[in-house]
Amino acid sequence: YVGPPPACPGRAIGSAGPTTSYRMDPHTPALLSAGLKGMIGKGPRSKEVIEALKRYRAVYFGAIGGIGALLSRAILRAEIAAYDELGPEALWKFEVKDFPVVVINDSIGRDFYAEKK
């Protein structure tokens, strides 16, 4: 989850700092049922989202907040996938290489945050 600013010269996107994911929890099960297979953000997800990740065999990746400039360097291509009228808040599709994220919740229900307490 990121609301990227316009791209800098020579880049696919501006800064790509992750936003707090739980704000999207009410919408995530519907997005997963429509075919979303992965998302990147920061922070834990609700029980409902974790169950939906299992049901739809999807994954939630966590990124470190505060490193948006670094993350943007790993985005090779960016395009709006849906809701173009929302500008930076649209749904984006990124092509990434060596993107520094970790799996937080996987498709079998594991929760990195809960396991590392």
Side-chain angles (χ1 to χ4, degrees):
Y1 302 109
V2 62
C8 301
R11 304 275 173 148
I13 198 168
S15 180
T19 59
T20 304
S21 301
Y22 74 82
R23 294 180 293 165
M24 289 298 293
D25 282 3
H27 312 288
T28 301
L31 290 168
L32 292 168
S33 73
L36 181 68
K37 290 298 181 187
M39 63 213 86
I40 303 166
K42 66 180 182 181
R45 305 309 297 267
S46 69
K47 181 179 177 181
E48 292 79 18
V49 168
I50 293 169
E51 288 301 315
L53 289 168
K54 287 174 22 181
R55 184 175 332 116
Y56 299 109
R57 303 198 42 80
V59 65
Y60 168 59
F61 299 98
I64 299 170
I67 62 168
L70 174 67
L71 293 172
S72 71
R73 292 182 186 147
I75 299 172
L76 305 178
R77 198 170 64 116
E79 65 181 77
I80 293 179
Y83 306 111
D84 183 49
E85 68 277 10
L86 297 178
E89 301 301 323
L91 291 179
W92 289 78
K93 180 179 178 181
F94 296 149
E95 178 184 333
V96 300
K97 182 177 181 183
D98 300 326
F99 201 73
V101 295
V102 297
V103 174
I104 301 299
N105 301 110
D106 65 17
S107 63
I108 60 172
R110 290 182 289 205
D111 185 339
F112 179 79
Y113 292 137
E115 293 173 10
K116 299 303 173 192
K117 285 185 178 179

